[in-house]
Amino acid sequence: MTRSFCLMCCLVVALFLAGCSGSSDSDGNVYTVKRGDTLSRISRLTGTSVQELARLNNISPPYTIEVGQRLKTGSKTTAGKKSSKSTKTASRPSLPPVSWPPVGDRCWRWPTSGKVILPYSSADGGNKGIDITARRGQPIYAAGSGKVVYVGNQLRGYGNLIMIKHGENYITAYAHNDTLMVNNGQNVKIGQQIATMGSTDTDSVRLHFQIRYKATAIDPLRYLPPQGSKPKC
């Protein structure tokens, strides 16, 4: 792998992390559960693993939580640093929906089939993609042609993660995979299998899927064709 490509990978991951940060509505080392939250989403916001959240709060599978419930998220020092960093990042400007690219600007296909259990949210700390549930081991496909710029599990809260760069402006991300079937620097075609569905670093089998335009997460459902149909491009 060339030095220039490694630098590009680091930049892409940094932009991804910046866009994922948001206000976690936490107080010290405590997080208050909001509507639509899951342990995996709270894990991404607080930087505490799903397993640690479950242990700290005596939560057993299937990890049911309730709106208004207050969860311990780790040490006060760690949580305080995470909260400070998140607040700083959240103040960065992002593209409002009116500035998003027009539908049809690029050809996309569904990365897998299944039920969307958590939609996109533009709110601070909201879900910056969609979560799709299906059976373990189900194929995950590249939503568009491009180059793989990240394969690994170093980003806490995302499990086995793949990121693909599409031209200059777009990045797609595929989180919580089981088996990873591509490598860094590999060119992939739209519809090519890149992974299998799993539950790494989350509380149930799912795919967390994002489309990012100029580092800003945009609503995938706005750009994907009707589920079960092929893209018209």
Side-chain angles (χ1 to χ4, degrees):
M1 188 182 303
T2 65
R3 178 180 176 82
S4 60
F5 181 74
C6 288
L7 290 173
M8 182 182 74
C9 291
C10 292
L11 176 61
V12 168
V13 172
L15 289 172
F16 180 80
L17 284 174
C20 287
S21 299
S23 173
S24 63
D25 190 28
S26 59
D27 178 16
N29 64 334
V30 176
Y31 178 93
T32 302
V33 177
K34 300 187 294 295
R35 185 178 301 278
D37 274 343
T38 63
L39 279 192
S40 58
R41 180 176 176 277
I42 296 171
S43 171
R44 291 195 292 269
L45 289 174
T46 64
T48 305
S49 70
V50 170
Q51 293 75 18
E52 182 67 4
L53 286 171
R55 185 189 68 80
L56 288 170
N57 297 281
N58 297 316
I59 302 174
S60 302
Y63 303 123
T64 301
I65 54 178
E66 299 179 354
V67 174
Q69 184 176 350
R70 292 170 64 82
L71 302 178
K72 298 177 182 178
T73 61
S75 68
K76 290 186 178 180
T77 301
T78 301
K81 290 181 179 179
K82 180 69 176 181
S83 176
S84 174
K85 180 179 179 181
S86 297
T87 302
K88 181 178 179 181
T89 305
S91 65
R92 297 179 182 178
S94 60
L95 294 174
V98 39
S99 299
W100 289 1
V103 175
D105 181 60
R106 193 173 185 93
C107 185
W108 302 110
R109 64 152 288 167
W110 279 79
T112 195
S113 59
K115 181 181 179 181
V116 176
I117 56 174
L118 194 60
Y120 170 90
S121 171
S122 60
D124 286 347
N127 194 40
K128 299 312 176 187
I130 57 175
D131 286 27
I132 307 168
T133 185
R135 61 178 175 80
R136 185 181 300 277
Q138 181 167 302
I140 305 297
Y141 304 102
S145 299
K147 175 175 282 191
V148 178
V149 292
Y150 181 85
V151 178
N153 55 13
Q154 288 78 33
L155 303 183
R156 180 175 292 179
Y158 292 91
N160 291 333
L161 173 68
I162 295 173
M163 295 165 61
I164 301 175
K165 195 171 189 293
H166 312 270
E168 292 301 318
N169 294 326
Y170 292 93
I171 293 172
T172 53
Y174 314 75
H176 308 309
N177 303 295
D178 187 1
T179 303
L180 303 174
M181 304 174 68
V182 290
N183 300 307
N184 281 316
Q186 180 178 339
N187 291 314
V188 295
K189 296 181 180 180
I190 184 171
Q192 178 179 335
Q193 185 174 355
I194 58 174
T196 60
M197 185 175 287
S199 57
T200 52
D201 216 358
T202 186
D203 46 11
S204 62
V205 177
R206 67 178 65 198
L207 169 68
H208 175 71
F209 173 68
Q210 294 187 14
I211 298 178
R212 289 184 169 267
Y213 176 72
K214 296 182 178 179
T216 294
I218 58 180
D219 186 357
L221 293 181
R222 183 173 177 175
Y223 298 93
L224 293 171
Q227 191 166 184
S229 64
K230 294 181 179 180
K232 298 178 180 180
C233 53

